[in-house]
Amino acid sequence: MARARYEDEEDEDRPRRRSRRDEDDEDDEDDAPPRRRASNDDDDDEPARPKGTNGLATFSLLFGVLSFCTGVTFLPGLICGFMGLSKAKASGVGKGIAIAGILTSIGGLMVSIAVGVTAYFFVVVADKTRERLKSHNNYKQVGLASANMHDATNYYPKPFLDESVKEFQPVAESSLKNKLSWRVAILLYLEQESLYRRFSRSEPWDSSANKPLSQTVVAAYADTESPLDPTTRLRCFYGPGTMFEINQRVSIASVSDGTSNTILSVEGGEKVTWSQFDEYKFDQNGPLPAFGHPRRDTFAVSMVDGSVRQVRKTVDPKTMKAAITRNGGEIVGFDW
């Protein structure tokens, strides 16, 4: 009996042999395809895909990019961008592109504004520089013409046209208003001899023969802001001690203050008829007139040596008066 129990225990420990049928059943289970989840589960987990396109958003981005080159397409870019954004809210398509188009169009607008402002600034600066150079050249021509007259006659011009170079002929100041200006006298040295010869130099400036000639534009006298206007801002100071005296001829030998420190002509604050005697009477103790164009902060002066300076309107009147006189003994600095 003990032997029988021992044999039973061995039978339990010994592995059972699998039948061929069991093996075939397991192979069939391995080959079977896996079960799919119900279609209802798929529909719940996967979001719905938007369909269609947003052409307005695309055009907005295109116009925005072009606005950096042309500057004018920013407006249709903004319009298409906002319309495309509205369409994207309804369809769910193109929201990002629409926003990008709007931002790009705004960027193109800002660049266009910056370029326009910069261009305007350079145009204004260039225009002012050109006017200043033109004015500088005009006053330089006047200085050189006066110097050439001195070389030819040994004297600078009087404040009015006076052909009595050899004979001294005193003139009453009350008669000056009818005289032709010194600007007529130096026409000979501005390559305007033909115009000079047409003047009747023994008649007043407003005679029937002379007054029509006042409408002739002389380039060296013209205002740079209105070059076709026959009036002028070119003026001089006359009176004792200046470069233009009524009854005394002035030579370079009498310019004891130095030719580079003495004013020959000045840019006046108002325009006058260029052929008429209409100059500034100098008063050492009186106020100075307004100088230069009203919209500028400087005015031009032509010095006796032919140089031209741009002087600030805030210049000290004492310094200005010292430069107007030719033999006052004043020292004029170089920073005025």
Side-chain angles (χ1 to χ4, degrees), residues 149 156-165 169 171 175-176 178-189 195-205 210 244-246 249 274-279:
M149 181 176 181
Y156 285 99
K158 284 188 175 182
F160 56 91
L161 175 61
D162 182 11
E163 295 186 300
S164 61
V165 176
Q169 297 179 0
V171 175
S175 66
L176 292 178
N178 295 322
K179 295 287 187 179
L180 289 167
S181 170
W182 65 280
R183 290 176 291 266
V184 177
I186 65 173
L187 286 175
L188 280 172
Y189 309 96
L195 179 59
Y196 175 82
R197 300 298 181 191
R198 290 165 61 189
F199 275 95
S200 180
R201 297 181 292 279
S202 60
E203 298 180 14
W205 76 271
N210 290 335
F244 293 84
E245 296 208 22
I246 298 176
R249 291 195 174 277
W274 70 267
S275 65
Q276 179 187 5
F277 172 86
D278 193 352
E279 313 304 327

Side-chain angles (χ1 to χ4, degrees), residues 68-319:
F68 282 90
C69 302
T70 63
V72 297
T73 58
F74 74 90
L75 183 58
L78 290 175
I79 295 174
C80 290
F82 284 112
M83 293 178 65
L85 189 60
S86 177
K87 182 177 180 180
K89 291 180 180 179
S91 65
V93 178
K95 180 179 179 181
I97 298 177
I99 293 175
I102 292 172
L103 294 178
T104 305
S105 298
I106 294 175
L109 172 61
M110 299 304 294
V111 170
S112 299
I113 293 175
V115 171
V117 170
T118 303
Y120 175 78
F121 174 77
F122 279 109
V123 167
V124 170
V125 171
D127 188 58
K128 288 185 177 180
T129 302
R130 183 170 59 253
E131 287 183 0
R132 180 166 293 185
L133 290 175
K134 179 63 176 175
S135 176
H136 185 280
N137 183 61
N138 288 348
Y139 280 79
K140 191 172 186 66
Q141 288 187 55
V142 170
L144 292 176
S146 300
N148 290 336
M149 181 176 181
H150 183 277
D151 292 342
T153 65
N154 295 322
Y155 298 103
Y156 285 99
K158 284 188 175 182
F160 56 91
L161 175 61
D162 182 11
E163 295 186 300
S164 61
V165 176
K166 296 181 180 180
E167 298 179 3
F168 179 73
Q169 297 179 0
V171 175
E173 188 170 350
S174 59
S175 66
L176 292 178
K177 62 181 181 179
N178 295 322
K179 295 287 187 179
L180 289 167
S181 170
W182 65 280
R183 290 176 291 266
V184 177
I186 65 173
L187 286 175
L188 280 172
Y189 309 96
L190 283 173
E191 299 181 355
Q192 295 285 344
E193 182 177 358
S194 175
L195 179 59
Y196 175 82
R197 300 298 181 191
R198 290 165 61 189
F199 275 95
S200 180
R201 297 181 292 279
S202 60
E203 298 180 14
W205 76 271
D206 56 353
S207 68
S208 59
N210 290 335
K211 191 172 183 179
L213 298 176
S214 302
Q215 299 304 309
T216 304
V217 176
V218 180
Y221 302 156
D223 185 11
T224 54
E225 290 196 355
S226 50
L228 299 181
D229 186 354
T231 59
T232 185
R233 294 184 186 274
L234 177 68
R235 313 283 288 278
C236 76
F237 284 93
Y238 73 94
T242 68
M243 288 299 298
F244 293 84
E245 296 208 22
I246 298 176
N247 290 315
Q248 179 180 343
R249 291 195 174 277
V250 177
S251 68
I252 196 170
S254 66
V255 188
S256 58
D257 288 348
T259 57
S260 62
N261 295 324
T262 305
I263 292 176
L264 179 71
S265 61
V266 64
E267 181 182 15
E270 61 182 2
K271 297 180 181 180
V272 296
T273 302
W274 70 267
S275 65
Q276 179 187 5
F277 172 86
D278 193 352
E279 313 304 327
Y280 296 127
K281 185 176 181 180
F282 180 63
D283 183 357
Q284 184 69 54
N285 300 316
L288 291 172
F291 297 119
H293 195 283
R295 292 191 300 174
R296 299 177 189 167
D297 57 1
T298 63
F299 60 94
V301 293
S302 176
M303 311 304 289
V304 177
D305 67 349
S307 64
V308 180
R309 296 185 183 182
Q310 289 291 328
V311 181
R312 295 184 298 272
K313 289 182 178 180
T314 56
V315 61
D316 187 342
K318 292 182 179 179
T319 303

